Amino acid sequence: MLLLMYKANESLVHAKNEVSLLDNLCDIAVEVGDYPLVWVASKKPDQRRLVPAAMSGKAKGYPLEVAVTWDDSKLSRSAIGRAVKTGKTVISRDIDSSSNYLPWKDTILKYELKSSVAIPLVIGAEIIGGLVIYSEDEEAFDSEEVQLLEELADDISYGISSMRLEAQLEHQSSVLNSIRKVNRLIVNEKDVDELIKKTAELMTGSRGFGRCLLALTEEGNVTSWHASGFSRSQLLEIESSFESGEIPPILREAMEKKGVISVGGKEYRERCLTVGDSDDLAVFAKGLRVDSNCMGAMAVVIKENLYLSKEERDLFSEIVDDISYAIHKIKLEKSERLLEKRFSSFMDRLPGAVFISDSNLRMTYFNDFASKMFGFKESWIGKDPEENYPGKLGRDILEDDQRTQSGEQIVREERIMAEDGLERVLYVQKFSMPSEGEKPMIGAIALDITSRRMAEIALTRLGKAIDLSINELYVFDPDSMRFLQANRGAIENSGYTLEELRTMTPLDLKLGIERDYFEGILNRLKRDPKSYEIFESIHVRKDGTSYPVEVRLQLHEDEFEHVFVAIVLDITERKKAEESIQRSLESLINTLSYLVETRDPYTSGHQKRVSELSTAIARKLFPDTEVHKDIIESIRVASLLHDIGKSAVPSEILTKPVKLNDLEYDLVKEHSSKGYNILKGVHFPWPIADIVVQHHERLDGSGYPNGLKGEEIRIEARIITVADVVEAMSSHRPYRASLGIEKALEEIARNSGKLYDRMAVNACLEIFKEGFEFTP
């Protein structure tokens, strides 16, 4: 028996694989121990059967002719069945007459077997099978022999464990090599069909897996598929299945469930990808999924002894996830290209020219209006202004672009010769745009204002001709303030006669300013006779009608007298124009706000409601003065545009009905910075871009994008932050229902002074107590 142990250990050292190891050990045991039969039983977990993994001896046909189990049936009463069930060594004698061996009696008699010993093979805490030795002697297997055989079984268990670990590591190394190759493929491939084709080939070509099948689906139908490692007949079988609208059950299950589906043994033979697969195979399958979007499935066929390995499943799962995100990325890039086409289509319909130059000041884009009206040509793309415009015009445009690139915003009128041969007056605005390099790109908008400018010129000429009769001119005494003289324009426009005016003062025209304020102006002019004051007011005619005026007031001194001279312009039309400009600005603001909401319909009206609440808080905090009115207006406008940066976030993420993952949330968090980049080049009377970029900052520095704290955050942004939180929590979102206004107010109250400005929170709570409600 010692010789047996020596040769067994020698075989363990030199064995190359599990099969040769078990065959050699069985042969050694038969040769040295003179046993008629030695075999190693392997468990089949799915069927609770014991099958021979190796056998030797003159009775080696016996294991192939009998059925042995390790369940509770009659077929589990043999020594090996009981040893595997109990985990203990079992010795059976007189097996040719034992009732426990009745199912196999004829076979036992055929091979003249008398006794047996079965020793369980254990790896860790798992019984993987057993070592079975038969003898022709009824009294065989004394305690010393059994002890040595148990040591042999321990050695066999150790050898199997080492071989399996080595095989698994070799296999995982091959799979990791596949992952590296797949990752390189993901980086370089831009076509989805080519990606899945090359992935299937890589998975099998690196010997990581035996076969690989990838299928892409839309609305339950296979739109594209590729396979590798399958025979020609198997490929025809798969193709026929897909063409008939059928998807293999294992793939369909993978698309319906999350995680890896692993099937082996008898279940694999029933659900295999192709008919007639061998018994020793298994399959892994997983849906090609990004979040809730399932784009298809991937399956690989492997050896059965690997499919229960968690590490193997995890490696396969990682590969599928990488492929899924690669497919998603390619599709997203395709969508972006489509979006660019839509952008061009939109820009081509604008009633003005739009053109963009790269950081080297070479033209990269112009819309259809620029082509039709101003003769822009495709050949101009990639060229600078001096190449496209000969002479001084090209040099001037290039100089403008260089100034704009240095940070200056160009706003002016230009005269050019249009494509139709007529001279045109353009209103041109140039502004810098972010680029990938150090220098910015240049964007420009050119509006044809020829008709408006001609009208303005005509009005100017007309105004000069009738200046004395249109503008009002008053002369009044510095001390008594009584009018001394007035021109015809003043008489006709005020409705008073000159005699009536000489009994009146400027205050009798019911100036829209206080007497103290007006007298303060006069006193300043008396102290500095060379200065003048321009201010706006309201005059009331004799008939009671009022009109807005601009007054230019100056003290005139000569050697004879000191008098105040007031030139009064009726600015009714200018006021209307200012109101029109204000409406245009408001329309632009509302349009930009609407563009954001069309990208994210679930938050429709969000910016408007935040603006309502922000403005109400500001009015609560600030007194009703001209200075503070300007602050309140800046808060109203900034809150209407605070989420404009979301126009740069993929709509699939904005409308996602479940919680975002970390990568997606980071993309959404960029919208503050994106909003700043969009708005910083647009001229507003207020620092709108600075306010927008700070609306997600928090007092304790936990906000983004710059982690500002306390007073580093503008008061306007702190007010919008409070309103944004209240509106967002009280409104429905794709991934949750409304939390209600009470929860929202509890949130800002709980974090007042920590995350949110205390004054803004108090004002917000107060206006809700007073009955504030969002406009539906």
Side-chain angles (χ1 to χ4, degrees):
M1 294 303 292
L2 291 176
L3 178 61
L4 170 62
M5 297 302 297
Y6 171 77
K7 288 192 173 185
N9 287 328
E10 187 177 32
S11 178
L12 283 169
V13 172
H14 296 97
K16 300 298 183 184
N17 54 62
E18 183 177 333
V19 174
S20 64
L21 171 66
L22 297 180
D23 286 341
N24 288 340
L25 289 175
C26 287
D27 290 342
I28 291 169
V30 169
E31 178 186 349
V32 177
D34 195 26
Y35 299 117
L37 173 61
V38 177
W39 66 291
V40 175
S42 177
K43 288 170 60 175
K44 284 286 186 181
D46 57 329
Q47 303 169 37
R48 302 183 74 83
R49 289 189 304 118
L50 294 170
V51 297
M55 57 203 141
S56 184
K58 62 183 181 180
K60 64 180 181 181
Y62 173 80
L64 300 175
E65 298 178 27
V66 298
V68 183
T69 66
W70 49 285
D71 54 16
D72 294 326
S73 68
K74 293 180 179 180
L75 298 179
S76 68
R77 296 177 183 175
S78 66
I80 183 58
R82 286 180 286 157
V84 170
K85 283 199 300 181
T86 63
K88 298 179 180 179
T89 300
V90 177
I91 303 172
S92 296
R93 295 187 173 88
D94 300 323
I95 61 176
D96 55 347
S97 59
S98 171
S99 59
N100 285 337
Y101 282 79
L102 189 59
W104 313 285
K105 183 174 182 179
D106 292 342
T107 311
I108 290 171
L109 293 174
K110 172 183 174 181
Y111 289 102
E112 299 180 349
L113 303 176
K114 298 294 184 180
S115 60
S116 71
V117 60
I119 307 165
L121 298 177
V122 182
I123 296 178
E126 179 187 2
I127 299 173
I128 64 168
L131 173 64
V132 195
I133 302 174
Y134 286 82
S135 176
E136 297 171 336
D137 182 0
E138 293 181 353
E139 300 300 326
F141 309 119
D142 60 25
S143 60
E144 182 179 352
E145 183 179 5
V146 170
Q147 183 177 355
L148 288 173
L149 291 175
E150 287 177 337
E151 291 181 17
L152 176 62
D154 289 341
D155 290 343
I156 292 173
S157 298
Y158 174 78
I160 293 173
S161 176
S162 298
M163 293 293 178
R164 289 184 179 180
L165 179 59
E166 183 178 348
Q168 186 176 10
L169 291 175
E170 181 180 352
H171 178 76
Q172 289 179 351
S173 176
S174 179
V175 173
L176 287 172
N177 185 44
S178 295
I179 292 176
R180 287 192 290 270
K181 290 182 178 180
V182 167
N183 286 338
R184 287 196 293 270
L185 175 63
I186 287 171
V187 171
N188 298 318
E189 190 53 62
K190 304 300 181 184
D191 181 77
V192 170
D193 200 54
E194 281 296 308
L195 174 65
I196 64 172
K197 175 184 176 182
K198 292 178 181 178
T199 298
E201 293 170 352
L202 279 176
M203 296 301 290
T204 54
S206 64
R207 300 188 303 279
F209 300 105
R211 306 173 199 163
C212 180
L213 172 63
L214 291 95
L216 299 182
T217 62
E218 288 184 9
E219 298 180 354
N221 297 315
V222 175
T223 57
S224 178
W225 67 276
H226 284 282
S228 180
F230 293 89
S231 67
R232 179 173 177 78
S233 61
Q234 290 172 329
L235 289 173
L236 290 174
E237 180 185 339
I238 294 171
E239 183 178 21
S240 176
S241 175
F242 287 154
E243 287 182 350
S244 63
E246 297 180 3
I247 298 177
I250 191 72
L251 290 184
R252 187 171 295 280
E253 183 179 353
M255 289 188 289
E256 293 172 352
K257 298 179 180 178
K258 292 185 178 180
V260 177
I261 306 298
S262 56
V263 176
K266 180 180 179 182
E267 186 180 2
Y268 172 73
R269 289 190 295 277
E270 294 173 351
R271 304 170 60 191
C272 57
L273 292 172
T274 55
V275 176
D277 272 345
S278 60
D279 293 348
D280 61 343
L281 297 177
V283 65
F284 286 156
K286 185 178 181 181
L288 295 165
R289 181 179 285 103
V290 174
D291 302 320
S292 60
N293 178 26
C294 185
M295 302 169 288
M298 175 175 169
V300 293
V301 177
I302 58 175
K303 289 293 184 181
E304 184 182 15
N305 63 341
L306 295 174
Y307 93 99
L308 294 177
S309 167
K310 181 180 182 301
E311 292 78 10
E312 195 70 29
R313 287 197 303 274
D314 290 345
L315 285 172
F316 171 73
S317 180
E318 181 181 342
I319 292 174
V320 176
D321 288 344
D322 288 345
I323 297 298
S324 299
Y325 278 105
I327 293 171
H328 178 71
K329 176 175 173 289
I330 293 173
K331 288 185 175 181
L332 190 61
E333 290 172 349
K334 183 178 179 181
S335 297
E336 289 176 351
R337 290 192 292 273
L338 178 60
L339 185 61
E340 289 177 1
K341 291 182 180 179
R342 291 174 178 170
F343 167 79
S344 295
S345 177
F346 173 79
M347 297 300 283
D348 286 343
R349 286 163 174 78
L350 289 178
V354 177
F355 40 98
I356 299 172
S357 299
D358 63 19
S359 56
N360 294 317
L361 305 182
R362 296 186 178 94
M363 184 170 290
T364 60
Y365 171 81
F366 57 83
N367 67 349
D368 193 52
F369 189 96
S371 175
K372 292 178 179 178
M373 178 63 71
F374 308 126
F376 283 32
K377 302 176 179 64
E378 286 294 332
S379 60
W380 291 11
I381 297 296
K383 298 179 181 179
D384 64 30
E386 287 187 307
E387 295 176 279
N388 292 331
Y389 299 95
K392 184 176 183 300
L393 177 60
R395 293 192 297 272
D396 290 345
I397 294 175
L398 180 61
E399 182 180 343
D400 279 352
D401 288 350
Q402 291 170 341
R403 289 162 53 200
T404 303
Q405 201 171 52
S406 299
E408 183 177 346
Q409 184 170 329
I410 304 296
V411 179
R412 72 166 184 225
E413 294 181 5
E414 292 182 3
R415 292 178 179 268
I416 69 164
M417 190 65 66
E419 185 71 2
D420 57 9
L422 299 176
E423 186 179 56
R424 301 281 179 175
V425 181
L426 305 181
Y427 169 82
V428 178
Q429 180 177 10
K430 292 186 177 181
F431 46 88
S432 60
M433 300 169 58
S435 71
E436 295 180 356
E438 294 182 0
K439 295 182 178 180
M441 301 171 65
I442 305 299
I445 300 172
L447 300 178
D448 183 359
I449 61 169
T450 304
S451 298
R452 191 180 77 186
R453 178 57 62 225
M454 291 298 101
E456 289 176 353
I457 292 173
L459 287 173
T460 300
R461 291 170 178 167
L462 181 61
K464 289 180 179 179
I466 61 174
D467 181 55
L468 293 176
S469 62
I470 295 299
N471 294 333
E472 303 172 35
L473 187 144
Y474 298 92
V475 179
F476 62 92
D477 181 74
D479 300 318
S480 67
M481 292 196 300
R482 290 190 180 278
F483 289 122
L484 303 174
Q485 190 57 268
N487 72 341
R488 188 173 66 181
I491 294 169
E492 292 178 352
N493 208 22
S494 68
Y496 294 102
T497 65
L498 181 58
E499 289 71 26
E500 289 174 321
L501 287 172
R502 285 175 173 169
T503 65
M504 300 167 60
T505 72
L507 295 174
D508 293 324
L509 294 177
K510 297 183 173 60
L511 291 177
I513 55 178
E514 298 293 333
R515 181 183 184 93
D516 292 344
Y517 179 78
F518 184 69
E519 290 179 346
I521 294 175
L522 299 182
N523 290 332
R524 286 197 298 274
L525 294 176
K526 289 177 182 179
R527 289 193 296 270
D528 185 6
K530 294 182 180 181
S531 66
Y532 62 90
E533 289 275 349
I534 297 177
F535 58 92
E536 293 182 2
S537 182
I538 301 294
H539 277 189
V540 179
R541 299 183 179 92
K542 184 177 181 179
D543 63 5
T545 59
S546 61
Y547 58 102
V549 295
E550 179 183 274
V551 180
R552 189 184 192 278
L553 184 60
Q554 188 172 12
L555 182 63
H556 176 75
E557 293 183 315
D558 59 31
E559 56 184 321
F560 299 104
E561 63 179 356
H562 300 271
V563 293
F564 278 110
V565 178
I567 300 175
V568 180
L569 284 72
D570 184 342
I571 58 173
T572 301
E573 295 303 317
R574 191 173 80 187
K575 284 296 182 181
K576 290 180 180 179
E578 289 176 355
E579 291 172 1
S580 176
I581 292 172
Q582 180 63 31
R583 287 194 299 271
S584 297
L585 178 61
E586 195 70 21
S587 177
L588 171 62
I589 294 167
N590 291 332
T591 299
L592 292 175
S593 179
Y594 174 74
L595 286 175
V596 176
E597 295 182 354
T598 57
R599 294 265 298 158
D600 184 8
Y602 291 97
T603 57
S604 178
H606 167 70
Q607 294 185 123
K608 179 181 177 183
R609 291 189 292 272
V610 171
S611 180
E612 289 178 355
L613 182 53
S614 299
T615 305
I617 294 172
R619 286 175 178 155
K620 195 74 175 177
L621 289 175
F622 299 120
D624 187 17
T625 65
E626 288 300 319
V627 173
H628 290 104
K629 283 180 180 179
D630 204 48
I631 295 176
I632 294 170
E633 181 65 7
S634 72
I635 291 171
R636 184 188 72 84
V637 172
S639 55
L640 280 172
L641 299 175
H642 74 278
D643 276 342
I644 192 172
K646 288 186 177 178
S647 62
V649 179
S651 59
E652 296 91 338
I653 295 177
L654 294 177
T655 59
K656 183 176 178 181
V658 296
K659 184 178 180 180
L660 301 182
N661 60 36
D662 291 344
L663 178 59
E664 293 167 334
Y665 184 58
D666 287 341
L667 285 174
V668 173
K669 286 169 64 177
E670 290 180 7
H671 80 277
S672 299
S673 299
K674 298 284 187 183
Y676 174 82
N677 290 333
I678 292 170
L679 296 173
K680 68 180 182 180
V682 181
H683 177 70
F684 285 103
W686 318 281
I688 299 301
D690 292 336
I691 299 171
V692 167
V693 77
Q694 294 181 11
H695 81 277
H696 274 291
E697 301 287 359
R698 298 294 184 261
L699 295 183
D700 62 358
S702 63
Y704 61 85
N706 298 316
L708 301 181
K709 294 183 178 180
E711 294 300 321
E712 294 175 348
I713 308 169
R714 299 184 66 95
I715 182 61
E716 301 96 324
R718 283 181 267 156
I719 290 172
I720 293 174
T721 294
V722 171
D724 190 27
V725 169
V726 172
E727 199 287 330
M729 290 183 64
S730 63
S731 299
H732 291 282
R733 288 292 182 269
Y735 52 85
R736 62 153 173 83
S738 167
L739 300 177
I741 195 66
E742 293 300 325
K743 289 289 186 181
L745 297 180
E746 288 176 10
E747 160 65 17
I748 63 171
R750 181 170 59 254
N751 289 294
S752 177
K754 178 183 178 184
L755 302 180
Y756 314 120
D757 184 86
R758 194 180 303 279
M759 290 192 302
V761 169
N762 291 340
C764 181
L765 296 175
E766 187 173 343
I767 64 175
F768 271 97
K769 287 181 181 179
E770 293 171 356
F772 175 87
E773 292 183 356
F774 289 113
T775 302

